[in-house]
Amino acid sequence: MDNPDTFGAWLRQQRNQLKLTREQFAGRVGCSVALLRKIEDGERRPSTQIAELLANCLNIPLAERSAFVKVARGELSVDRLTALPRPSVSPASTAAMPPLRVNLPILPTPLIGRQHEVEDLSQLLRDSQCRLRTLVGPGGIGKTRLALETASHLPAAFADGVYFVPLASVHTTRFIVPVIADALGFTFQSASPADPKTQLFSYLKEKQALLLLDNLEHLLTEPGIELLAELLANAPQVKLLATSRESLGLQGEWVFEVQGLPIPASGYSQESAQNTSVELFLQRARRAHVGFTATLEDYSAIVRICQLVEGMPLGIELAAAWVRTLACDEIAHEIEHGLSFLSASTRDLPARHRSMRAVFDHSWRLLAEQEQAILLRLSVFQGGFQREAAEAVAEATLTVLSTLVTKSLIRRSGAGRYDLHELIRQFAAEYFAERPAEQATTQARHGHYYLEFFSQADGRLRSSAQRETLAELTAELENFRAAWEWAITQGEFALIEQTLRTFAMLYDTRGWFQAGLAELEPAVVALEALYRQPTPGRTEQMALGHLLVCQALLAFRLARHTEARVMLERSLELLHPLNEPHVLVEAITFLGFVMEVTGNYARAVELYSEGQKIAAAIGDRWFAALCFICLADQVGIVQGVVKPENLYQQLQSAVADWRAIGDLRLIAAGLNLLSWNAMALGRYAEARAALEESISLSISISDRWVLGNAYRGLGIVAQVQGEHVQALEMFYESLNIFTELGTRQDVARELAELGRSVFALGDDAEAGRIWHESLRLTTETQGVFTALEALVGLASLQMRQGASEKALEVLLIVLNHPASIQETKKRAARLRTDVEARLTRPQIEAAQARAQAKTFEVAVDEVLKRVEFTH
């Protein structure tokens, strides 16, 4: 075989020897097929991280990986690879291997000076005896970077993936479980009786995975340590790679102390600086100042700088940023005066600052008094901030922000946004705590700013600016949550109440139902305590009523219908005396939701009509439109009172009006309803077009719930035309979305419809299982009309199995139930005709008698207990 003359040709040769297609190999590497083609064709060099993933996939020996990466990057000749062994992965096993699961962040620069540590750690984590490896060291020493590099070498060793779990912003051990779940892409099931921790441990029990738990030091309380110990005990094939400023103190823990980068004895040339802290300084200096070129005199000063900060990567990076304004010997001179504490154990200093104080004190002392004051105030922000917020909260001018960016104390993160490195933010916050009055004033400004920012966003959220506004609010979520907690603590309930329309819209659109309920609960508890006082104020009454409305909407989405109804009825008791129609219309409309899904259609129509009247009176176009959608759904589709042709024209006109408003979510919901009416008229092409537009709009604003309903609609369009394979594809898309959201009533409804196509394709056992599960869910969530649909499906199965009398009995119960919608009644009536054709008159009369003698609840219970199909 000819020796290839380029890395791309060599790579193609190796892939062909493995008998892998380009798609299969790209899946193993974790890159796109297009990128792999460009690499093989010599159009592009792989990044360092992609090169390392290629090395993993080809089983390049650890000792040769550094050279392999350099060849891939064009730093060494491809001839260097000729001595490597042939790829050792067998073609059969490779072809069947699924894509590797990795969520490690892509790193912009190669790791310097840590190759031996990476190899040692990688080897140890492959050892079955090592389940917990903790990288310990002071802040800024490079624990996270070393852990990420190590983890990037290990995907092939863990069949179920390697996952990065960032914990720096997690302030309490309560959130460790949800953050791990988020990193894994695991969604908690609200229908499960198990708590989130049990669900997560059950999910991980059989998984072979590596979790990189980053920044654990502030979570090493007894609950946090116990949680990690339980995780290891319950998931025997899961390994933990942790970073912390102190060891975890667990049995079986392998501790690795991360030292500073190597420091050369002398640095008189760039060659002698390779793989040392000096190389890192040079790399960062050139990024800070493109024209920077080190002289011979500079090299000795750079070595001195690295010695002063003991090879700490963060210290080196901050020092290198000063090359824009200071010579290297000046930087060393300045740092010398702030490093004395490193030579002694200063026990009264917090551990997380013992190694970083030199760098931060140096930067701190070089700030003007105004710059210091602003940096302290900026420490109240969470997750970054916009320039306007910095000015309003911290009185930070653009000039001062620019200075702080130049001095590497804050970072510009794009789109007019800034943030502080977490360690710098902690450093500033600690100083700020020594000025409690000023800190409290700044926190108050921060709280007012973000609560007002959210309250003012409601109008834009319901306009043509919706997409941009959703993105803005999502970016500021951490700041909003901090402001929300401050407001609860300070009793600023008027401010909280003003944000609630925005809160409800944002959390409902994004599908953050569980998180929203958790954040609302402390405010409700605090207000309930105040409301029990002899004379609660109007502000508190208004806020409590409105909070209950928001809680009820999110509880409704999670199919907690009884809770939602109780919350809404209580909110109406509180709100009616206050004569606040802008809030009252929300409570009335949402109560209509609950009445509709639980089968009380008459009451739902009353509430929607009342809500529409209130909305029209106060000029609330959005709620007027929402109530119109709900009424159209009820009187047109559910009850069939209005002729489809007339309703179709009304909906077309309404959607045109909503396009003028510009609210994408409202338009998408309207298009979904329009599609249902088009289907009733047999206009399937129009229905499909409306649903496809709804999908596009929903994706653009990340509205998962409306998206799920649009996919459901496409499934039904295919189903009614006999295209059951295509219908299943759409139904499963919808089902996956609703399952992830935890909206159990939507899951039950989707299952009822999915079962029809499965049944039509001849899989009776699976159809029966699906309808049975749908019926079980609806009994838990009180979704009566969905239960009736599932019963019709099960009756069709009974008829096919020869149990026609039982089938007729079920169908009669469905047809006589007041909550049966028009489509369900039509299906039941058609099936009844087929069933009765198989029965004698006495058999029909007997079935009728049994149906009349049973309540709906008894009938459902009997069906659930029967086992007439194979699970």
Side-chain angles (χ1 to χ4, degrees), residues 721-750:
Q721 296 180 91
E723 300 167 352
H724 293 290
V725 173
Q726 183 181 349
L728 289 181
E729 182 181 347
M730 295 298 101
F731 285 143
Y732 279 118
E733 285 280 358
S734 178
L735 184 62
N736 289 339
I737 290 170
F738 291 139
T739 301
E740 290 172 6
L741 291 175
T743 54
R744 292 184 295 158
Q745 182 57 43
D746 296 306
V747 169
R749 190 173 187 180
E750 198 64 52

Side-chain angles (χ1 to χ4, degrees), residues 775 779 791 809-810 813 817 850-851 853-866:
L775 189 59
T779 59
L791 285 172
E809 181 183 327
V810 170
I813 289 170
H817 199 288
R850 288 195 300 273
K854 287 180 185 176
T855 64
F856 170 72
E857 291 75 19
V858 169
V860 168
D861 188 57
E862 287 181 357
V863 171
L864 287 175
K865 289 178 180 177
R866 289 183 196 141

Side-chain angles (χ1 to χ4, degrees), residues 182-199:
D182 184 63
L184 292 167
F186 172 70
T187 303
F188 298 113
Q189 301 300 312
S190 57
S192 172
D195 61 24
K197 182 179 77 172
T198 303
Q199 290 186 50

Side-chain angles (χ1 to χ4, degrees), residues 202-258:
S202 178
Y203 172 78
L204 288 171
K205 187 173 184 178
E206 303 298 329
K207 294 289 188 291
Q208 185 186 13
L210 175 67
L211 305 184
L212 197 174
L213 306 179
D214 188 44
N215 285 296
L216 264 173
E217 59 274 355
H218 59 297
L219 300 170
L220 300 184
T221 59
E222 186 173 337
I225 293 297
E226 289 179 354
L227 176 69
L228 298 180
E230 286 182 59
L231 193 157
L232 289 168
N234 283 275
Q237 296 187 80
V238 169
K239 294 189 178 186
L240 303 182
L241 175 59
T243 70
S244 176
R245 295 180 198 172
E246 60 181 293
S247 62
L248 310 188
L250 284 171
Q251 290 184 359
E253 180 185 25
W254 297 53
V255 179
F256 181 89
E257 185 174 356
V258 181

